[in-house]
Amino acid sequence: DGILLVGRVRLEYVQLLEGKNVPFVLVDHYIPNTNVNYVLSDGRMGAYNGTQYLIDNGHRNIGLLSGPSDLVTVNEREEGFRSALDKNGIQFNPKWRLEGNFEFESGKQAMNKFLKGTKPGERPTAFFAVNDLMALGAIQACKDNGLGVPEDVSIMGFDNIEVSFNPGIYRS
């Protein structure tokens, strides 16, 4: 009867479906300046709440594992993250902004690069990741580098995918 397009969708695909008169809805993505139907989660508020949770648990030095800056959902989640920091008088360190592409491997690579390029005293005590897959990749990178999560660094992801409910599988 119709198609749900979940996540990032290229404009060409949307135009193709529109040309075929196939009913569809974008889920967790929208394309500005189009009349396409979409449903979004409140990424700004979710990221704000997640970051506030880290702050409420004593973290004042919090890094961000972000995604492609051309995605509205990434920008909204980053706005929520920064808003929570601002509300609590915490200045964000731009050196602690890592970027991935929403995949496990990109979170792992970004965190590996960060850990290899910084000394332990120069690192945040926590990271907020704009999605769970990158958070899980970052957890794996921490484990591979001899860091415990959450003992040495806390990592929070956004999405609540099923595997995120058992982060112990990634503990060292």
Side-chain angles (χ1 to χ4, degrees):
D1 292 330
I3 300 172
L4 294 176
L5 300 168
V6 181
R8 186 178 194 173
V9 179
R10 293 184 9 204
L11 180 59
E12 305 89 77
Y13 297 134
V14 169
Q15 292 169 333
L16 178 70
L17 290 172
E18 285 178 318
K20 304 262 186 210
N21 291 321
V22 175
F24 67 94
V25 175
L26 301 178
V27 178
D28 232 10
H29 178 65
Y30 79 94
I31 301 172
N33 304 317
T34 65
N35 290 323
V36 175
N37 293 315
Y38 61 88
V39 178
L40 298 174
S41 61
D42 190 345
R44 188 176 291 113
M45 183 55 73
Y48 177 91
N49 289 340
T51 305
Q52 187 62 52
Y53 179 83
L54 291 170
I55 293 166
D56 290 345
N57 281 277
H59 296 285
R60 305 289 297 169
N61 298 313
I62 306 170
L64 175 68
L65 181 49
S66 195
S69 60
D70 64 326
L71 291 179
V72 173
T73 53
V74 169
N75 293 323
E76 288 177 349
R77 292 173 190 185
E78 191 162 334
E79 287 172 17
F81 166 81
R82 290 180 185 261
S83 179
L85 295 182
D86 290 344
K87 177 189 173 262
N88 289 277
I90 299 171
Q91 188 167 0
F92 178 64
N93 183 341
K95 292 179 183 176
W96 296 346
R97 184 186 183 279
L98 315 181
E99 189 170 313
N101 66 7
F102 282 105
E103 299 296 326
F104 176 92
E105 208 47 50
S106 73
K108 183 178 174 183
Q109 289 174 1
M111 184 60 74
N112 270 324
K113 182 178 177 184
F114 177 78
L115 293 173
K116 290 184 186 339
T118 58
K119 297 176 185 166
E122 301 171 346
R123 299 173 186 157
T125 60
F127 276 90
F128 176 82
V130 298
N131 85 331
D132 282 345
L133 284 177
M134 288 192 305
L136 291 168
I139 290 169
Q140 186 64 53
C142 288
K143 176 185 171 187
D144 293 346
N145 284 277
L147 297 175
V149 178
E151 299 83 10
D152 298 312
V153 62
S154 293
I155 299 177
M156 174 175 283
F158 186 109
D159 286 327
N160 281 343
I161 61 172
E162 189 172 338
V163 70
S164 71
F165 293 111
N166 187 10
I169 63 175
Y170 293 95
R171 276 205 182 152
S172 43

